Amino acid sequence: MGSGASSSRRPFSWGQAPARALGAIPPPMLVLVGVISLQVGAAFAKQLFTMAGASGVVALRLTFAALILLAVWRPSLRMDRRTLAVVAGYGAVLAGMNVCIYQAFERIPLGAAVTIEFLGPLVVAVIGSRRKLDLVWAALAGLGVFLLARVEGGLDPVGVGFALAAGAMWAGYILVGAKLGSRTTGGSGLALGMAFGALVAAPFGIAEAGTALLHPAVLVAGLVVALMSSVIPYSLELEALRRMPPRVFGVLMSLEPAVAALAGLLVLGELLGVWQWVAIACVVIASVGAVGMTKSGPKPEDTGAN
């Protein structure tokens, strides 16, 4: 993680303690805690939109998260070009995913947005398999999104479009995240990727919110959102991806739509109709089926190893 010292004693890094702590937690628990933290944080973030706008909240979230992660991990900038490209790609995908999904949150309920966004990783799982049964799972997911978008008044089409774009970015996040985990140690790659993502998102946030981003209440709230929606979940997910095959990670991430719907209900009071809950269930079941019913027995490419 550091650049290496000439003496036999390596300098202390604040990242050593969190790395040991994360290593003692089972990977499935890392993913589940990350999912809950991310979606509850998203629900709190949505409450800030009236003060700083969706893009403004994203900019604050990524900036604070980057500052925290850089302070904790103190990453070295010495890396080969391929690793640098992976870090930059991770940051760009991260920024795009957050900008798009927050724009969707501004227009449609939290649970609906995350359910539509989840088509991204689900498509990755289906494309990566040649089983005919996966066509059934794809059809079930399509039915779920159709029900979600059409029944009980339907959804804002612009919000649906942003959620679909976020889904494409989420698919890229999973793929690039696995590469990032294999090419970096601890949270160094995550810290640098988050910093790059903050630079990408900042112009959008400044253009929408302007000086409102400097209001003390907004800054404090942005820090909380950064911890709940970026620092904690992304750190846990990156560590989990290092220690489990991406398909197992995908099964656990299948809970995202349901957790998002519950967070929207409990934190924001966003009530979903019966058919909308059925739609969410269709997508969750399709994801578990597509990702989970694969041959066990991890392969090198499953863990991102070269």
Side-chain angles (χ1 to χ4, degrees):
M1 181 165 58
S3 59
S6 58
S7 61
S8 59
R9 295 183 62 186
R10 299 185 63 185
F12 175 77
S13 170
W14 289 105
Q16 294 173 355
R20 286 195 297 267
L22 291 179
I25 302 174
M29 184 61 65
L30 293 175
V31 178
L32 292 177
V33 173
V35 166
I36 295 172
S37 178
L38 176 62
Q39 298 306 330
V40 173
F44 282 117
K46 188 169 181 175
Q47 295 176 320
L48 296 177
F49 288 177
T50 56
M51 299 177 64
S55 296
V57 175
V58 172
L60 283 177
R61 167 184 166 180
L62 296 185
T63 299
F64 276 123
L67 292 174
I68 294 170
L69 290 171
L70 289 172
V72 170
W73 294 105
R74 295 193 295 179
S76 170
L77 295 178
R78 295 182 180 180
M79 61 184 70
D80 58 69
R81 291 184 178 179
R82 184 171 297 181
T83 301
L84 180 60
V86 172
V87 169
Y90 179 86
V93 169
L94 191 64
M97 178 176 66
N98 281 283
V99 169
C100 289
I101 196 58
Y102 272 40
Q103 290 294 331
F105 289 163
E106 194 170 33
R107 294 166 172 84
I108 60 179
L110 195 72
V114 173
T115 300
I116 296 171
E117 180 193 24
F118 205 80
L119 288 181
L122 181 56
V123 167
V124 171
V126 172
I127 291 177
S129 173
R130 298 179 179 178
R131 299 172 304 147
K132 294 182 179 179
L133 182 59
D134 283 330
L135 296 177
V136 176
W137 300 127
L140 181 61
L143 173 63
V145 174
F146 175 80
L147 289 174
L148 196 61
R150 301 293 298 178
V151 302
E152 302 182 30
L155 299 173
D156 183 323
V158 176
V160 172
F162 274 117
L164 288 172
M169 295 290 182
W170 191 359
Y173 164 76
I174 292 176
L175 298 176
V176 180
K179 288 292 185 182
L180 183 73
S182 68
R183 301 193 68 89
T184 60
T185 59
S188 59
L190 174 62
L192 292 173
M194 190 73 70
F196 187 85
L199 292 176
V200 172
F204 297 95
I206 294 173
E208 181 173 358
T211 57
L213 295 175
L214 301 179
H215 192 282
V218 173
L219 289 173
V220 172
L223 176 60
V224 174
V225 170
L227 289 170
M228 295 187 66
S229 293
S230 291
V231 176
I232 294 174
Y234 293 145
S235 297
L236 298 183
E237 289 173 10
L238 185 60
E239 179 63 24
L241 277 168
R242 287 195 177 99
R243 295 160 54 192
M244 66 167 58
R247 63 176 177 272
V248 179
F249 178 86
V251 170
L252 295 171
M253 293 294 287
S254 299
L255 296 173
E256 286 264 14
V259 174
L262 288 173
L265 174 63
L266 298 176
V267 179
L268 301 172
E270 293 179 339
L271 298 175
L272 297 179
V274 174
W275 283 108
Q276 290 174 318
W277 281 104
V278 171
I280 292 173
C282 286
V283 174
V284 170
I285 293 171
S287 179
V288 171
V291 180
M293 297 182 64
T294 59
K295 295 180 180 179
S296 54
K299 300 177 183 179
E301 61 268 24
D302 291 330
T303 57
N306 293 325

